[in-house]
Amino acid sequence: MSDITKYLRKQRLPHILCPGCGHGIVMNALLRAIDRAGLDQDKTAVVSGIGCSGRIPAYLDFNTLHTTHGRALAYATGLKLYRPDLTVIVLMGDGDASAIGGNHLIHAARRNIDLVAVVMNNSNYGMTSGQYSPLTPTARITTTSPYGNIEQPFDLAQLVQAAGASYVARSTTYHVQSLITYLEKAIKKKGFAFVEAVAQCPTYFGRKNKLGAGAEMLERFKTLAVDVKRAATLSPEERKGKIVIGEFADRAVPEYTERYGELIARLKAKDAHAVAGE
């Protein structure tokens, strides 16, 4: 097994994540996927927004960018347009990606720009004491829904798939091997590639909903997860409360930076002909 510690800025450790937090599992899976994909550290950029997930690039020895809340995809889009040769990986939390950053997510998928978007879904805003997010399940207790969340959550995988992304997958921090596989495929995929990692937050979401410590929350993911193909055979009542995991889309769609480059080349050729009087 390869030594993935070569991808860490060891001088930045120990990390600040809570005991039992799932984000460290996602970071580990991402580094193993990067290693499998054989990425050049100098040709890789990792961009994050604000939140618990936003701290991760500080520990990673790549080109890294810690941006403002909800705007990681906007910064990443600019970076990718300026340096299309880079592999750009965007790390976001569920609130970061689906609330203030929700429109960036939809339009990045619609453009199908060549980014790898990783959403760590722990069902709440963990950094700011556990408010509900657009991915908090209905009836769950959070700091801002003390009597139970009355909203229905987004299904981000379906949303991004409908918006036009090339690759869409979901796994959990219990299903680490499939998470690594999906992240590797996302890295290698041309176009907008989206991976949702359902992760545990024992400090706030787990404690408020009496779901136990980190290990117990992982066992719960094991119990609730159902593969997307199996889920298609279930009735709505049978799917209720389940975590549907697997690959939702893997398709060839024209990529944005390539189309943008072709447009610029065509306009430059047109200008050259005009100067030559042709």
Side-chain angles (χ1 to χ4, degrees), residues 230-252:
R230 166 71 176 146
T233 68
L234 302 178
S235 67
E237 291 74 22
E238 291 172 322
R239 284 201 303 271
K240 189 174 182 181
K242 299 293 186 184
I243 302 171
V244 180
I245 62 174
E247 293 177 299
F248 297 80
D250 186 359
R251 55 196 176 188

Side-chain angles (χ1 to χ4, degrees), residues 7-272:
Y7 301 118
L8 295 175
R9 290 172 175 148
K10 298 182 183 68
Q11 70 276 20
R12 295 296 183 95
L13 298 175
H15 59 73
I16 65 164
L17 300 173
C18 298
C21 173
H23 287 7
I25 297 174
V26 180
M27 184 178 80
N28 187 309
L30 175 64
L31 294 183
R32 294 187 187 283
I34 286 173
D35 195 63
R36 285 188 189 178
L39 294 187
D40 182 337
Q41 286 172 261
D42 293 330
K43 294 286 187 180
T44 303
V46 182
V47 182
S48 72
I50 298 294
C52 300
S53 63
R55 298 292 301 184
I56 290 179
Y59 309 125
L60 304 183
D61 191 13
F62 301 97
N63 302 291
T64 56
L65 192 60
H66 185 201
T67 72
T68 51
H69 189 45
R71 311 304 179 204
L73 281 170
Y75 280 88
T77 295
L79 176 59
K80 186 66 183 181
L81 277 171
Y82 185 66
R83 288 289 305 274
D85 58 310
L86 295 179
T87 297
V88 181
I89 300 170
V90 188
L91 305 180
M92 298 170 284
D94 48 297
D96 194 32
S98 65
I100 191 170
N103 265 337
H104 293 304
L105 179 65
I106 294 169
H107 292 291
R110 177 181 61 83
R111 295 185 185 104
N112 197 41
I113 186 166
D114 189 27
L115 302 174
V116 180
V118 182
V119 172
M120 286 164 246
N121 173 16
N122 62 9
S123 302
N124 72 164
Y125 288 85
M127 177 166 275
T128 50
S129 73
Q131 296 85 359
Y132 74 86
S133 84
L135 300 193
T136 301
T138 304
R140 285 302 186 185
I141 305 295
T142 70
T143 304
T144 46
S145 59
Y147 306 107
N149 179 25
I150 60 173
E151 300 180 8
Q152 59 179 331
F154 271 138
D155 185 327
L156 275 197
Q158 290 190 5
L159 182 68
V160 173
Q161 181 184 6
S166 282
Y167 183 79
V168 181
R170 178 191 291 129
S171 188
T172 81
T173 44
Y174 177 85
H175 303 83
V176 175
Q177 295 305 319
S178 65
L179 180 59
I180 296 170
T181 298
Y182 297 155
L183 289 168
E184 179 187 5
K185 293 180 74 170
I187 289 168
K188 293 178 176 176
K189 189 70 178 181
K190 175 65 72 176
F192 192 76
F194 173 88
V195 178
E196 178 182 343
V198 179
Q200 71 277 17
C201 173
T203 300
Y204 291 110
F205 190 77
R207 177 169 55 85
K208 288 183 178 295
N209 290 282
K210 304 185 187 310
L211 299 175
E216 293 170 272
M217 295 185 75
L218 285 172
E219 286 289 339
R220 185 173 171 275
F221 292 160
K222 175 185 177 183
T223 302
L224 294 179
V226 57
D227 183 79
V228 62
K229 293 178 182 175
R230 166 71 176 146
T233 68
L234 302 178
S235 67
E237 291 74 22
E238 291 172 322
R239 284 201 303 271
K240 189 174 182 181
K242 299 293 186 184
I243 302 171
V244 180
I245 62 174
E247 293 177 299
F248 297 80
D250 186 359
R251 55 196 176 188
V253 182
E255 195 276 321
Y256 184 77
T257 58
E258 289 184 347
R259 300 181 77 181
Y260 187 79
E262 291 168 0
L263 174 64
I264 296 299
R266 190 165 71 245
L267 293 176
K268 284 183 175 177
K270 183 179 179 182
D271 285 346

